[in-house]
Amino acid sequence: MGALREDELIDVHTHVVPESFPRYLGRHADAPWPSMAPAHACHAHVMISGKVYRTVSRQCWSCSVRLADMDRQGVARQVLSPMPELLSYWMAPEDGVAMCRFLNETIAGMVAEAPARFAGLGAVPLQDVALAIEMLQDLRPRHGLVGVEIGGNVNGTPIGDARLRPFFEAAAALDLAVFVHALRPCGLERLVGPAIFEQVLAFPGEVGLAGASLITGGTLAAVPSLRVALSHGGGTLAALLPRLHHAWRKLGSVRDLLPADPAEEARRLYIDDLVYDAPTLAHLIEVFGSERVLAGSDYPFAIMDDDPAGSIDELAAVAVLDPELRTLLRGANARRWLGEADAVAGAVKGADVGTSKPEARG
Amino acid sequence: MGALREDELIDVHTHVVPESFPRYLGRHADAPWPSMAPAHACHAHVMISGKVYRTVSRQCWSCSVRLADMDRQGVARQVLSPMPELLSYWMAPEDGVAMCRFLNETIAGMVAEAPARFAGLGAVPLQDVALAIEMLQDLRPRHGLVGVEIGGNVNGTPIGDARLRPFFEAAAALDLAVFVHALRPCGLERLVGPAIFEQVLAFPGEVGLAGASLITGGTLAAVPSLRVALSHGGGTLAALLPRLHHAWRKLGSVRDLLPADPAEEARRLYIDDLVYDAPTLAHLIEVFGSERVLAGSDYPFAIMDDDPAGSIDELAAVAVLDPELRTLLRGANARRWLGEADAVAGAVKGADVGTSKPEARG
């Protein structure tokens, strides 16, 4: 993949749903194993426990449709990850293993169809951390996947909980990128409106608290080589960090818990730029650093950003978008997050840009 | 209070705990009625259900201590509101009435001690909307209070729920300001760390979703004269609005529900400036408008902003803080939110400043 031009656009936030699922072969009568049912032209219903979970288009599984869309959008490469509900943390561990193996094979197959245009993130059954670590070993050597997608919580346990620390240590040791996506978010009971508001209004809080837990639980400090990216612009995390920093500065009890400034720790995280608003994106670049922001669109779902290239270019209206920053956001940061060797060398150049913070505001 | 200089500082976010509580006279054996127990010098424990809920200082009830602090901080006036846990929505309605009446009398008494230096917000038992509306009637004529503090949810029901609409209609009709504070927030199950993280990390999400519910539930559109302020900088709401705007623009189902652009509707809200960070505050002024941001400190609690005047002046480092904007933030906006007649005239001037958005970013 070294043949990509330096400023080619990498969309790190795109989802896959398999065209069909294998028959359930487990032993749990009520397992919420998904299946597909035909819907209107080019669409299918994802059925879970007898109900339509979501109706999706063949963009979800067809490489040729995706490639045509990418060409139209100017996207050089998509990073493929499972539709998060498929992570199946609520299934019995052995069923989770079967589902994750199927997802990993599906995504590996899509990457193999166009290896210059796709990179793949796999799934592991985090409801059983030991099994998850076992499956992590296979992702790169067996499936050619470069990372793993996880939820912000695992059946209610935030990912910064100490019980999940071994997973993050293994991901770092195996040189795998980690992508944190909202999944069964907190705060649903506070929404007034239709079901789509789960994605619109509850996802950001879930991702924000997941990111905060990686700081307050000590994961980022303990696993310095971890390369972890938060989806949806880090959700609400940017709004939480100044309060956390203030509490850390003012309260001895918080400083005893967190040796390093949590707002500085947060700059170890990557985030995608999926915030639909140039001033918000400019603010996030200040908070997390210009080397930490990745292009992401949520392709091909209903609230996707149809123009990920344009969303970066719109930054120019509110901040200085110099060629170096544009290159970082379009792909150099993503290549560093994905662990591509030539991008790591480029990161040194990126670091210079990152320190010129005031320029980013204009 | 027309004697206040135009740019005098009004701190809208300060809390009161009474020095003692009356004995419980209700009929519920296990009512979580609070009491005070002595603690170390100048402090007392707020006891609820036999446990220390919080240890507070006499800043909570002593007008003379508060006035000395205000003089040192350069605060001309504090808006007093109950410590939110005292709102007691989880008590039986008749116990809620008794507690709210006691709180309202306590705060009215403090305002009466120094009416040029304090304004008061009362409490009403929102667990029974009809009773709450009945008590609202008394706040201004009987107690001299100018508004009411409410939680972001009432026993789990978000404030934008249609069942609470009559409360907001009554508050508007009675010319009362409404202050929305986090209380028993959602997301606690996602925190990793000590209890103080409830305030640090969960409060913003609670306030953000409460504010969103006032938009998506149609309250702001239906009650245009409502003057409602969100605490903690509106929490995470600014991070949610671009996603909500995007969904509204893209999805017919959301547009059918919300006739007006939700990001524009949000500019009907007031927010306080309690975000501990000048770039974040500059971003909020862009999102909500320069006429909508109020000074607020969380006095006298542990994570309070010790220097509310300085937090406004620090804006000058990241944005244009011209004299008009400074006046708006220090007090003119607060007076308009509080419904003070001379401030309403001043708001016309403020509107001119509000339209010069790009200047606020520099």
Side-chain angles (χ1 to χ4, degrees):
Chain A
M1 303 177 200
L4 282 175
R5 284 204 325 271
E6 197 191 28
D7 74 337
E8 285 190 329
L9 184 61
I10 301 176
D11 182 349
V12 304
H13 186 161
T14 82
H15 294 298
V16 164
V17 180
E19 187 170 7
S20 64
F21 289 88
R23 205 157 51 82
Y24 176 62
L25 296 173
R27 58 190 175 81
H28 300 279
D30 57 350
W33 190 264
S35 63
M36 299 297 268
H40 49 283
C42 310
H43 284 65
H45 301 305
V46 183
M47 306 298 297
I48 301 179
S49 300
K51 285 191 290 200
V52 176
Y53 168 73
R54 193 179 289 178
T55 302
V56 298
S57 79
R58 65 196 174 107
Q59 295 168 305
C60 285
W61 58 81
S62 163
C63 287
S64 61
V65 172
R66 292 179 90 105
L67 289 167
D69 286 343
M70 290 160 67
D71 289 343
R72 198 172 46 243
Q73 291 176 326
V75 170
R77 220 174 355 148
Q78 284 187 344
V79 179
L80 309 176
S81 59
M83 178 171 76
E85 184 74 9
L86 299 177
L87 295 176
S88 305
Y89 297 149
W90 37 87
M91 287 190 195
E94 69 271 23
D95 290 351
V97 168
M99 176 57 69
C100 290
R101 187 168 294 143
F102 173 67
L103 292 172
N104 296 341
E105 286 167 357
T106 300
I107 291 177
M110 292 174 72
V111 174
E113 279 192 51
R117 305 296 301 278
F118 296 122
L121 305 179
V124 296
L126 273 176
Q127 60 269 55
D128 183 320
V129 175
L131 277 178
I133 291 172
E134 214 178 295
M135 288 198 75
L136 268 187
Q137 322 283 331
D138 283 349
L139 290 187
R140 193 183 281 275
R142 177 166 165 184
H143 300 295
L145 302 175
V146 295
V148 58
E149 178 187 55
I150 66 172
N153 73 88
V154 179
N155 299 321
T157 299
I159 54 173
D161 187 284
R163 286 168 287 180
L164 288 163
R165 177 80 57 83
F167 160 79
F168 289 103
E169 289 168 342
L174 292 164
D175 196 26
L176 293 166
V178 179
F179 186 56
V180 179
H181 199 284
L183 174 59
R184 303 205 172 181
C186 63
L188 290 180
E189 69 279 21
R190 295 291 190 270
L191 304 183
V192 176
I196 184 76
F197 284 175
E198 171 176 348
Q199 293 170 62
V200 176
L201 296 172
F203 274 17
E206 175 67 28
V207 174
L209 292 179
S213 79
L214 291 175
I215 299 168
T216 62
T219 306
L220 292 183
V223 194
S225 63
L226 183 64
R227 301 192 312 270
V228 56
L230 305 178
S231 58
H232 309 95
T236 59
L237 182 59
L240 307 181
L241 289 172
R243 281 178 76 81
L244 184 56
H245 171 77
H246 176 76
W248 175 83
R249 215 168 44 84
K250 198 165 175 186
L251 306 178
S253 61
V254 178
R255 218 164 34 252
D256 290 345
L257 181 77
L258 304 174
D261 179 348
E264 282 303 316
E265 286 290 281
R267 294 168 71 92
R268 294 177 185 264
L269 294 162
Y270 291 86
I271 60 165
D272 73 21
D273 71 350
L274 186 58
V275 293
Y276 310 103
D277 181 57
T280 301
L281 180 54
H283 182 62
L284 293 179
I285 291 170
E286 279 187 71
V287 170
F288 293 97
S290 59
E291 294 172 74
R292 294 289 158 177
V293 181
L294 318 172
S297 74
D298 219 354
Y299 178 98
F301 292 145
I303 60 167
M304 69 176 282
D305 179 353
D306 298 299
D307 183 13
S311 293
I312 290 171
D313 291 336
E314 277 167 25
L315 259 182
V318 297
V320 175
L321 179 64
D322 57 30
E324 286 90 344
L325 179 61
R326 190 165 174 276
T327 298
L328 288 170
L329 300 180
R330 285 175 59 89
N333 290 340
R335 296 168 80 188
R336 194 172 346 99
W337 171 60
L338 292 170
E340 295 174 9
D342 49 349
V344 175
V348 177
K349 200 172 103 188
D352 296 336
V353 179
T355 55
S356 64
K357 267 178 65 185
E359 288 178 24
R361 282 195 83 80
Chain B
M1 303 178 201
L4 282 174
R5 284 201 327 270
E6 197 192 28
D7 74 338
E8 285 190 329
L9 183 61
I10 302 176
D11 182 348
V12 305
H13 187 162
T14 83
H15 294 298
V16 164
V17 181
E19 185 169 8
S20 64
F21 289 88
R23 204 155 53 82
Y24 177 61
L25 296 173
R27 59 192 174 79
H28 300 279
D30 58 350
W33 190 264
S35 64
M36 298 298 267
H40 50 282
C42 311
H43 284 66
H45 300 305
V46 183
M47 306 297 297
I48 300 178
S49 300
K51 286 191 291 203
V52 176
Y53 167 73
R54 193 179 288 179
T55 302
V56 299
S57 81
R58 64 196 174 105
Q59 295 168 305
C60 286
W61 57 81
S62 163
C63 287
S64 61
V65 172
R66 292 180 90 104
L67 289 167
D69 286 342
M70 289 159 67
D71 289 344
R72 196 170 47 242
Q73 292 176 324
V75 170
R77 214 165 10 137
Q78 283 186 344
V79 180
L80 309 176
S81 59
M83 178 171 75
E85 184 74 9
L86 299 176
L87 295 176
S88 304
Y89 297 149
W90 36 87
M91 288 190 194
E94 69 270 22
D95 289 351
V97 168
M99 176 56 69
C100 290
R101 187 169 293 142
F102 173 67
L103 292 171
N104 296 341
E105 286 166 358
T106 300
I107 291 177
M110 291 174 73
V111 174
E113 278 193 52
R117 305 297 302 276
F118 297 122
L121 305 180
V124 296
L126 273 176
Q127 61 269 57
D128 183 320
V129 175
L131 277 176
I133 291 172
E134 214 178 296
M135 287 197 76
L136 269 187
Q137 322 283 330
D138 282 350
L139 290 187
R140 194 183 281 274
R142 178 168 164 183
H143 300 295
L145 301 174
V146 295
V148 59
E149 178 187 55
I150 66 172
N153 73 88
V154 179
N155 300 320
T157 300
I159 55 174
D161 187 283
R163 287 168 286 181
L164 289 163
R165 177 79 59 82
F167 160 79
F168 289 103
E169 289 167 342
L174 292 163
D175 198 27
L176 293 165
V178 178
F179 186 56
V180 179
H181 199 286
L183 173 59
R184 303 204 172 183
C186 62
L188 291 179
E189 68 279 22
R190 295 292 191 270
L191 304 183
V192 176
I196 185 75
F197 284 174
E198 172 176 348
Q199 293 169 63
V200 176
L201 295 173
F203 274 18
E206 175 68 27
V207 174
L209 291 180
S213 79
L214 292 174
I215 298 168
T216 62
T219 306
L220 292 184
V223 195
S225 63
L226 182 64
R227 300 192 312 270
V228 56
L230 304 179
S231 58
H232 310 94
T236 60
L237 183 58
L240 307 182
L241 289 172
R243 281 178 77 79
L244 184 55
H245 171 77
H246 176 77
W248 175 83
R249 215 167 44 84
K250 199 162 172 189
L251 305 178
S253 62
V254 177
R255 218 163 35 250
D256 289 346
L257 181 77
L258 303 174
D261 179 348
E264 281 303 314
E265 286 290 281
R267 294 169 69 94
R268 293 176 185 263
L269 294 162
Y270 291 86
I271 60 164
D272 74 21
D273 71 351
L274 186 58
V275 293
Y276 309 103
D277 181 56
T280 301
L281 180 54
H283 182 63
L284 293 179
I285 292 170
E286 277 187 72
V287 170
F288 292 98
S290 59
E291 295 172 72
R292 294 290 159 177
V293 181
L294 318 171
S297 74
D298 219 354
Y299 177 97
F301 292 143
I303 60 166
M304 69 176 281
D305 178 353
D306 298 299
D307 183 13
S311 294
I312 291 172
D313 290 337
E314 278 168 23
L315 258 182
V318 296
V320 174
L321 179 63
D322 57 29
E324 288 88 344
L325 179 60
R326 190 165 174 275
T327 297
L328 288 171
L329 299 180
R330 284 175 59 89
N333 289 340
R335 295 168 80 187
R336 194 174 345 101
W337 171 60
L338 292 169
E340 295 175 9
D342 49 350
V344 175
V348 177
K349 199 172 103 190
D352 296 337
V353 179
T355 55
S356 63
K357 268 179 64 184
E359 287 179 24
R361 285 196 79 83

